[in-house]
Amino acid sequence: MDKEISSLIEALSSENIDERHAAEDGLEAKGEEAILPLIEILTEGEESTCWYAARVLARIGEPAIKPLLLTMIVEKDRGFRRYAAAALGSMGEVAVAPLIEGLSTEDRELRGFVAMALCRIGTPALAPLKHMLKEGDEVQRMCASLTLWKMGEEGIGDLVEGLGEEKTS
């Protein structure tokens, strides 16, 4: 790992909040180069450091989506998955399509974390979830239903509409 990235990652654990924020900015500026070291922090770092690493991954955005999802598949640690889902959910609309694909995994727990990320994204996830509710296989429809329900008022209207369409077809 590059020495500057290593120093910035170390600063994410600083007692000084300004140093942590400066490290976030520096790691975001490094972009793709910082993604794998930040993911490594999520897999083995302390909770407060993981939180900052997840924030940076969210700020890096789209380039971090695939590495985060791939690591979520192989890394079974719930803590890691929680932070990765939070980062993905904070990315917004750009993460919706890859997350929707993630609902097709055999791993139930992973589907739950993917659903959490979609709930956090909110409105941009509604149309793809509604589509999955209509067109997906049984597991995908169940995941879409549960995710829309979990979204509360925002998703329940689409859930009811989708279920109504299902009954009339």
Side-chain angles (χ1 to χ4, degrees):
M1 173 182 347
D2 158 305
K3 282 188 180 213
E4 186 178 357
I5 289 176
S6 182
S7 294
L8 289 168
I9 285 183
E10 189 174 313
L12 288 178
S13 301
S14 173
E15 294 293 323
N16 181 316
I17 194 77
D18 293 329
E19 285 180 25
R20 285 184 182 215
H21 290 164
E24 284 182 302
D25 294 340
L27 288 163
E28 179 184 7
K30 288 289 188 179
E32 287 187 53
E33 193 180 344
I35 292 171
L36 293 180
L38 286 165
I39 289 174
E40 188 175 322
I41 291 301
L42 292 184
T43 63
E44 52 192 52
E46 291 183 25
E47 195 165 321
S48 64
T49 306
C50 289
W51 186 79
Y52 281 96
R55 283 175 29 125
V56 175
L57 287 163
R59 288 167 54 179
I60 290 172
E62 191 170 4
I65 294 171
K66 187 175 182 178
L68 274 169
L69 284 170
L70 290 173
T71 307
M72 286 177 81
I73 290 168
V74 297
E75 181 63 54
K76 304 296 185 198
D77 179 71
R78 298 184 90 205
F80 166 77
R81 285 179 165 184
R82 182 170 40 104
Y83 284 110
L88 289 162
S90 295
M91 289 180 197
E93 190 169 356
V94 70
V96 170
L99 285 167
I100 290 289
E101 287 180 35
L103 287 177
S104 298
T105 181
E106 297 286 323
D107 183 338
R108 286 181 181 197
E109 187 175 273
L110 179 55
R111 288 193 310 252
F113 284 106
V114 167
M116 284 175 26
L118 288 165
C119 287
R120 183 175 181 135
I121 292 170
T123 303
L126 291 174
L129 285 166
K130 188 175 174 185
H131 177 77
M132 182 177 268
L133 188 61
K134 291 182 200 176
E135 305 294 329
D137 63 29
E138 185 178 345
V139 171
Q140 291 170 329
R141 288 193 314 271
M142 179 194 68
C143 289
S145 296
L146 291 172
T147 304
L148 287 166
W149 176 76
K150 187 76 172 159
M151 291 172 96
E153 190 175 321
E154 187 174 29
I156 288 176
D158 284 338
L159 173 60
V160 170
E161 185 181 319
L163 294 173
E165 291 171 5
E166 189 177 281
K167 285 185 178 181
T168 60
S169 24

